[in-house]
Every structure is written in C-alpha cells, then in structure tokens.
Amino acid sequence: MSKPVPEPRKGMPSPRLDEATFRQRFLSRYVDPAFEPLQAELGKIADAAWDAYDNHRKSPHTRKAGAGYHDPDYDLAIDWLRAKADIKAAQARHDDKDGPCRVLIVNASSRSEHTCPGEMSKSFRLAELAREVFEADDISVEILDLSRLTSEFGRTIHPCKACFSTAAPLCHWPCSCYPNYSLGQVDDWMNAIYPLWVEAHGVMIITPVNWYQVSSPLKLMMDRLVCADGGNPDPTLTHGKKADEAKAIELAGWDYPKHLEGRVFSVVVHGDVEGAENVRRSLSDWLRFMDLVPAGVNAELDRYIGYWQPYATNHEALDADQAIQDEVRNAARTLAQAAHANHAGTLLMAGRALKPPRQK
C-alpha cells in the first residue's frame, strides 16, 4: 500500500518587494561618484532588472533536456547542464587509472592579506606545508582557498535553500537553485567547486575554529554539498522544483545516491582557546556520513596554536610550534598513501558494499 503524499506546507510571509524598494536596493551598489554620469543608463538597467524580477525569470537561458533524462522535453537551464557536464568530466578524471593521483586541499579560513584584516591565515600556511608533501609524492594538487569569498570581487557561495528537507529528489546534483537571475543570486562558486571534489582521490580540510564552529566559508560549502549525498541527478524527474512531485518520488522509494563515496580524507583543525576537538570530530563525522573514508589515524588532527596567547603574535606562535608543522606534514603523508591506494584501486574499504538499513 502506497503512502499518502503530504501537501507542501505554506504560510510564511512574502519577501516580494515593490518596485521602488527593488530599485533602491538594486542601485545601492552604484554609489561611487564614478557612476554619476551614468544615471540614465543605470535607470534603463534597473528597468530591465525589475522586469526580470517581477516576472520570476530564474533561468532565462534553457534548452530541452534531451535523451537520457526522464522527461526529455523539459527545459533545463543552460547553467545547470554546463555544471553537469563539468562533473561528468571530473568523474572521468577520477576514474582514469592512467591519470595522476589527485588531492584537493581546502583552506577554510576567511582571513586574507588582500582585504581586512591585511594578514594571511595560519590555515593557508599549513595548507602550503601539505601541498609540498603531496607534490613531492607525485600527486596532483588543487588548493581551494575559501578566503577568496572575503577578498575577491564577485566570488560567492550562496546559502543552501534546504530543498533536501522538503524531499530528497528536490535537491538536484549538482545544485540547481543557483544562479537565480531574477533574484540577483549569481556568481555562485559551487559549480566550480563540485568538480574539484569529484575528481579528487583524497581531500584535506584545514580550518580554524571560529566561535566553537567551522569557519563561515566552510559551512557555506558544507551545506551546499548536501546534494552530493543523496541528491537527484535528473531535475526532469521533479520538473524543476515541484515539491509535491518530489515528495511522491521519495515516498515511492529513493536510493539516496552517494556521489562522493570512496574518496579518502584528512582533517586538520587548529584553535587558540576552545573547540578544536569538537570541530575536528564534527567534520570527520560529516565526511564519514557522505561515505568518504578516513585516511588513517594520523590524518585527523586537532591542535591549539598559541594557546591563550595574544592574537597579535599568532603567526609567531606557529613559527615556534615545529611539532604542529610536522604533524600536518604527517597528516599529508598519511593522506598521500591512502590516496595513492585509492587511485590504484587497492585501498581496503571493509564493509563498503553493505547496504545500510536506514537512509538519512
């Protein structure tokens, strides 16, 4: 007997803006005196932006899905199709036994010398130590520097809209929530980040503790990776974001595909007062939940640098702490061994083929 499909719950107040408020917000980014001679042109641009907003044109450029999709006549966003193709190419690089072993290092600190506060982060320095180890071991390295969210123009990770919480098939792999041109939600970095995770045989996350938690940039990326753990690779199944269709599909039986399973990981967390162990544990648990595999005991590390010392001397504290520098190198060496074995198909992953009795 099939389960009844619940109706999507409604009732939140509308966030829709009137035209005057929309135009004020849209034009607020053009306050520099350099734009003063361009007021007429900006007015025309604001008119076009209001038209796109008022008519809900989220994805103005689409094409038919075509063969291989549940509904080949459904119009899919060109942006999403391009992101899907990039992920497919990344998966081919991951699966190529004749290609290089690949490791992704994530510098998760938001601190940068190129904006406030004007100084590099310790996480960046530790990432560089790890990079040297991997490159010496003939591993191809990509560094994902999340500090660019704070220091680079137009670099953004938009927040997760929690489609998965409504029904798993409503969360598409890769994420189809962005770009949303009508809302100005553009320049989303995740479509470039997904392939970095997919092609990697190993992933190393290096993060500070920010107020007992991971850094803001890292949490944004983590939330947007929810589609990699059970997400729907075919948006035509749900005809875009039709919540009622997604609920019916999940209740009929959903297999929760693990799009990043089998990659090996290392986690390095550093703090100055509190929280390092809890953040390291939560990151490791998150990665395990997505069916990534711990590289080894030495690859998971939480340490304090300059414990209860002045923040002004934080880099000098790292200079003096040779032990943590060597521990980070050992974490990288451990991940390198596991990544090589993973790439070669010789890494033992006991129990990987077992079907879990419960899905998330």
Side-chain angles (χ1 to χ4, degrees):
M1 181 177 178
S2 61
K3 298 179 181 178
V5 179
E7 289 289 327
R9 302 293 181 96
K10 309 283 187 178
M12 296 173 69
S14 173
R16 296 293 293 177
L17 306 179
D18 59 44
E19 184 174 0
T21 305
F22 175 88
R23 292 177 68 89
Q24 185 275 326
R25 289 192 187 178
F26 181 83
L27 292 170
S28 65
R29 68 198 70 188
Y30 303 110
V31 299
D32 191 287
F35 292 107
E36 289 179 2
L38 304 173
Q39 292 306 303
E41 291 84 352
L42 286 172
K44 294 177 182 178
I45 294 171
D47 290 340
W50 166 254
D51 183 69
Y53 173 81
D54 195 38
N55 289 284
H56 304 271
R57 287 197 296 275
K58 173 183 182 287
S59 303
H61 300 291
T62 63
R63 72 165 174 80
K64 299 297 181 185
Y69 288 92
H70 174 76
D71 183 352
D73 290 327
Y74 185 77
D75 293 322
L76 285 176
I78 297 295
D79 298 284
W80 187 87
L81 288 165
R82 187 180 298 117
K84 183 71 171 181
D86 289 344
I87 283 177
K88 183 178 180 180
Q91 186 66 51
R93 293 192 293 273
H94 174 274
D95 296 342
D96 183 7
K97 299 301 182 186
D98 296 323
C101 179
R102 301 175 187 272
V103 163
L104 172 64
I105 303 175
V106 180
N107 166 30
S109 176
S110 57
R111 185 155 61 129
S112 171
E113 68 196 78
H114 300 294
T115 184
C116 324
E119 182 175 57
M120 70 164 60
S121 68
K122 297 187 293 297
S123 294
F124 177 83
R125 292 180 57 188
L126 297 177
E128 286 295 297
L129 294 179
R131 179 185 60 80
E132 292 169 1
V133 170
F134 293 130
E135 290 181 345
D137 202 1
D138 198 27
I139 289 176
S140 176
V141 182
E142 287 282 352
I143 294 186
L144 175 56
D145 184 0
L146 294 181
S147 74
R148 289 183 174 270
L149 289 175
T150 66
S151 62
E152 183 179 329
F153 176 81
R155 184 65 73 189
T156 304
I157 296 178
H158 291 289
C160 176
K161 295 188 177 182
C163 297
F164 208 108
S165 296
T166 293
L170 202 62
C171 181
H172 301 148
W173 167 251
C175 177
S176 66
C177 295
Y178 304 100
N180 186 321
Y181 291 98
S182 69
L183 294 179
Q185 296 170 340
V186 297
D187 296 321
D188 185 66
W189 199 4
M190 286 306 299
N191 280 347
I193 289 175
Y194 292 132
L196 298 178
W197 279 77
V198 171
E199 71 179 5
H201 301 99
V203 177
M204 185 179 210
I205 297 176
I206 302 176
T207 185
V209 177
N210 287 7
W211 281 114
Y212 290 83
Q213 296 291 338
V214 298
S215 68
S216 304
L218 179 54
K219 189 60 171 69
L220 283 167
M221 183 184 69
M222 289 171 67
D223 286 352
R224 292 290 302 286
L225 279 166
V226 65
C227 59
D229 190 61
N232 173 14
D234 184 356
T236 74
L237 274 173
T238 56
H239 293 97
K241 294 292 184 175
K242 292 190 175 180
D244 53 349
E245 293 186 20
K247 287 175 180 287
I249 292 168
E250 184 178 23
L251 291 175
W254 187 248
D255 60 357
Y256 300 90
K258 300 278 189 176
H259 300 292
L260 294 177
E261 68 175 345
R263 278 82 177 163
V264 292
F265 73 82
S266 167
V267 169
V268 174
V269 177
H270 62 91
D272 46 47
V273 177
E274 294 284 354
E277 181 180 1
N278 289 336
V279 170
R280 187 265 306 159
R281 185 182 296 116
S282 67
L283 279 175
S284 296
D285 287 350
W286 166 65
L287 292 163
R288 287 185 178 93
F289 195 83
M290 294 196 297
D291 277 6
L292 277 76
V293 180
V297 173
N298 291 328
E300 297 178 54
L301 181 67
D302 59 84
R303 290 292 183 267
Y304 291 99
I305 301 172
Y307 187 68
W308 282 110
Q309 295 179 17
Y311 293 103
T313 56
N314 69 100
H315 277 286
E316 286 72 21
L318 177 55
D319 292 340
D321 196 339
Q322 189 62 49
I324 191 172
Q325 295 180 45
D326 289 340
E327 286 174 321
V328 170
R329 292 186 180 97
N330 282 342
R333 293 181 183 112
T334 304
L335 181 61
Q337 292 179 18
H340 276 302
N342 197 13
H343 179 227
T346 59
L347 182 68
L348 176 62
M349 300 185 191
R352 182 176 175 184
L354 299 176
K355 184 175 177 59
R358 288 188 286 190
Q359 297 284 3
K360 74 173 185 180

